[in-house]
Amino acid sequence: MKKSLIALAFGTLALGMSEFVMMGILPDIARSLGVTIPEAGHLISAYALGVCFGAPLMVLLARKRPLKQILLTLTTLIFLGNLCAALSPNYWTLLFMRFVSGLPHGAFFGVGSIVAERVADEGRRAEAVSIMVVGMTVANLFGVPLGTYMSGILTWRVTFAIVAVWGTVATLLVRLWVPALPPLPDTGLKGQFRFLHKAGPWLVLASVMLGNGGIFCWYSYVSPLMTHVSGFEPERLTLIVMLAGFGMFAGNLIGGHYADRFTPERVVRCTLAVATLSLVGIFLAARIPMLSVGLMCLTTGCLFCVSSPQQLLILENSRGGEMLGAALVQVAFNLGNALGAYIGGLPIEHGLGYEYTTLPGALFTLLGMAAVMIYIHKYHRPVRHAER
């Protein structure tokens, strides 16, 4: 494995923990700062807004810079944002620092995908991107439970301090292991956005937002579903969350492998088909504990199985504006998260059980699959096999 990809994985690990650990430490923050749980929930939205704002900002400020220099700036921002979050004296300062912490997220994935593609061996582009993304899955497997545990026994400030340490380590590894790469060809500011005049990238971004949004309709409420419907004790939730993280870890590696063996769009299509069926399966079998957990792992595997294929698809469809295109995937991912959490909550607000969150989710993933099928119809290419 190339050391440069490991350095990128450390960066995505820090970002994954920074984004997802909030779900576990919200009550601690609300209690510490004297705000309500819904007000503390705005800290999640602030991070998502930072992700969406940071992607176009990167194009404006850094499009002419060498790729390694951009990565070093972004990892430094990860460190500073989370360190200041750990030291925040009040709610409003923390809210702003969560926004700052989100700024490098989409940008790092955008630049990191380009670097991974460039350093990859022949026929291993998707696998290289999946190694970068593996940090995000390890964050869900180990980092988020660790951060939640440390927040419970000490303080939520320690959790953000841990993320800051990871940001420092990522900065050091990027400096040591990522090769010096020239900046992308300058196509001008308008040239960065020219690829958006075509249908291809919009279909890819639609598949990201709808596919991930559909899974988050259900995953946003997986904890109450497991306790209130599947019948698990609350003490089992940490193990259940770790199993969900293992599904993400395995799905990411599988998606990268098969996207190289076949085509990325076919992997995305098949994965979203499986996600649709598994969400319907959860609706039907949510009251069967072991089956519910098994389908959970399959569905979270689908969530990250599409990550590296979708990153490659947007790079292929955004030549001349690759930096913006790769970052927009993360914008679409976060918009899907926000939309999924909102839509998934509607059945609950109307008095239905938590298993009903899967039904709008299945509709969304089905629409995401339809977007990919339209893409395949318009931009058909033969199945390719990895070189042996």
Side-chain angles (χ1 to χ4, degrees), residues 19 43 47 60 86 221 240 322 324 356 378-379:
E19 179 175 23
L43 298 170
Y47 187 95
L60 292 173
Y221 306 95
I240 290 171
E322 295 96 329
L324 177 63
Y356 282 86
K378 290 178 64 69
Y379 305 99

Side-chain angles (χ1 to χ4, degrees), residues 54-248:
L57 182 66
M58 172 192 63
V59 173
L60 292 173
L61 300 180
R63 59 189 174 86
K64 297 181 182 180
R65 303 286 184 181
L67 297 176
K68 182 174 181 177
Q69 183 181 0
I70 300 174
L71 286 175
L72 288 171
T73 302
L74 294 173
T75 53
T76 301
L77 192 55
I78 295 171
F79 161 72
L80 291 175
N82 285 281
L83 178 64
C84 292
L87 300 174
S88 296
N90 54 55
Y91 170 76
W92 294 106
T93 304
L94 180 58
L95 187 71
F96 177 70
M97 295 320 304
R98 285 293 293 169
F99 174 80
V100 172
S101 298
L103 289 175
H105 188 113
F108 187 91
F109 272 90
V111 179
S113 297
I114 297 169
V115 171
E117 184 189 37
R118 288 192 173 190
V119 302
D121 295 328
E122 184 67 27
R124 302 283 183 177
R125 295 187 307 150
E127 190 172 347
V129 175
S130 73
I131 293 171
M132 178 194 73
V133 176
V134 82
M136 179 75 76
T137 63
V138 171
N140 281 279
L141 183 58
F142 296 115
V144 171
L146 172 65
T148 302
Y149 176 74
M150 296 302 293
S151 176
I153 65 171
L154 295 174
T155 170
W156 57 268
R157 298 181 187 276
V158 173
T159 301
F160 288 122
I162 293 172
V163 181
V165 170
W166 278 118
T168 304
V169 174
T171 302
L172 178 62
L173 294 183
V174 167
R175 182 177 296 278
L176 294 176
W177 289 350
V178 173
L181 297 171
L184 295 173
D186 184 20
T187 59
L189 187 58
K190 290 184 178 180
Q192 291 288 323
F193 294 86
R194 191 169 293 126
F195 72 93
L196 292 174
H197 294 165
K198 302 176 183 178
W202 288 107
L203 289 169
V204 174
L205 293 173
S207 76
V208 175
M209 187 181 74
L210 293 170
N212 293 306
I215 293 175
F216 268 91
C217 282
W218 153 80
Y219 191 59
S220 299
Y221 306 95
V222 68
S223 293
L225 185 146
M226 286 296 172
T227 55
H228 291 96
V229 182
S230 298
F232 287 99
E233 295 296 328
E235 294 77 18
R236 299 273 185 174
L237 282 179
T238 299
L239 176 60
I240 290 171
V241 170
M242 291 184 70
L243 288 173
F246 177 78
M248 297 176 189

